[in-house]
């Protein structure tokens, strides 16, 4: 079956522009996660959605970052007024449930470069 | 609070020799622990997971890991390395005691396999 998909695979943007990154989770998975992978910080949790519950935004680095999940499926991560330190690979993962012992299935990531 | 420490940033072995990637964790709750692998320009793939069942966990491609609570360790081993094992490996702990599975990643260990 189809795995987690993300688009675009690569995005180059100018400093100060807004960007939107998209994630399509595995069908039927209720939990969706965003992570960021960068050279200096490794892999960091950003935000978590579980069903209709309020998202856990505790990992978002600043108020320039936001995310939404429409209809319990597709999610969009938005970065406003991008900065060079936002350059990273943004990974999306989904899981059948948001419990600690469930495997998370990762997408291929979106590589964001801010010039 | 939870954290993961991978004790080696780089490990180099010869093909056919054993592999040992070391990981120590801390968690306020009974943890779920995972090893993920990331091949160059590929997504993260689950190797194996521990979720409070058997302490010796077998994964894909001949890898296994042993959960040692007294040592707070979850080291990854393989008896005989193959060239295709060259990749970056992440030890991961998942929050317990709550209903969600926010992952905390170690800094990664790059495994190089020499012919």
């Amino acid at each position: 079956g189809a795995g987690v998909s993300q688009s675009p695979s690569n995005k180059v943007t100018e400093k100060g522009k807004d960007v939107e990154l998209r994630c399509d989770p595995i069908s039927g998975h209720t939990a969706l996660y965003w992570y960021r992978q960068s050279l200096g910080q490794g892999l960091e949790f950003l935000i978590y959605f579980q069903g209709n519950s309020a998202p856990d935004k505790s990992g978002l680095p600043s108020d320039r970052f936001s995310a939404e999940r429409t209809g319990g499926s597709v999610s969009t991560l938005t970065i406003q007024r991008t900065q060079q330190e936002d350059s990273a690979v943004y990974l999306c993962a989904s899981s059948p449930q948001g419990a600690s012992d469930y495997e998370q299935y990762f997408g291929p990531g979106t590589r964001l470069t801010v010039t | 609070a939870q954290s993961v420490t991978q004790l080696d940033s780089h490990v180099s072995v010869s093909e056919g020799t054993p592999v040992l990637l070391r990981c120590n964790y801390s968690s306020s709750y009974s943890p779920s622990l995972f090893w993920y692998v990331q091949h160059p320009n590929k997504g993260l793939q689950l190797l194996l997971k521990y979720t409070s069942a058997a302490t010796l966990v077998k994964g894909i491609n001949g890898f296994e890991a042993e959960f040692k609570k007294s040592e707070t360790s979850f080291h990854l081993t393989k008896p005989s390395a193959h060239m295709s094992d060259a990749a970056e490996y992440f030890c991961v702990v998942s929050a317990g005691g709550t209903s969600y599975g926010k992952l905390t990643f170690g800094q990664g260990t790059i495994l190089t396999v020499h012919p």
Side-chain angles (χ1 to χ4, degrees), chain B residues 47-49 54-66 76:
Chain B
L47 273 180
L48 50 79
K49 66 177 182 179
T55 56
L56 182 62
V57 181
K58 294 188 184 299
I60 61 171
N61 301 333
F63 284 94
E64 63 182 37
E66 185 171 9
L76 181 70

Side-chain angles (χ1 to χ4, degrees), chain B residues 53-105:
Chain B
T55 56
L56 182 62
V57 181
K58 294 188 184 299
I60 61 171
N61 301 333
F63 284 94
E64 63 182 37
E66 185 171 9
F67 173 72
K68 292 186 176 180
K69 185 176 180 178
S70 61
E71 299 177 9
T72 60
S73 69
F74 191 57
H75 301 335
L76 181 70
T77 60
K78 183 174 180 178
S80 177
H82 191 273
M83 296 296 290
S84 60
D85 294 329
E88 188 164 17
Y89 293 78
F90 293 93
C91 182
V92 184
V93 62
S94 182
T98 58
S99 61
Y100 70 94
K102 183 175 94 173
L103 300 182
T104 299
F105 287 79

Side-chain angles (χ1 to χ4, degrees), chain A residues 26-108:
Chain A
I26 293 172
S27 178
H29 282 192
T30 62
L32 186 147
Y33 307 79
W34 283 97
Y35 297 87
R36 178 169 72 173
Q37 186 173 24
S38 57
L39 282 176
Q41 301 297 323
L43 268 152
E44 307 169 279
F45 164 80
L46 296 178
I47 188 169
Y48 156 75
F49 297 89
Q50 169 59 50
N52 295 320
S53 303
D56 177 350
K57 304 179 183 180
S58 60
L60 294 178
S62 78
D63 59 8
R64 296 186 295 104
F65 287 72
S66 63
E68 63 178 19
R69 188 179 186 191
T70 54
S73 181
V74 172
S75 177
T76 302
L77 177 69
T78 301
I79 309 173
Q80 295 178 308
R81 305 181 303 281
T82 51
Q83 304 294 313
Q84 288 186 331
E85 62 263 29
D86 299 335
S87 295
V89 176
Y90 289 82
L91 296 169
C92 176
S94 71
S95 179
Q97 294 186 34
S100 61
D101 56 350
Y102 279 85
E103 174 184 355
Q104 294 184 19
Y105 296 81
F106 283 82

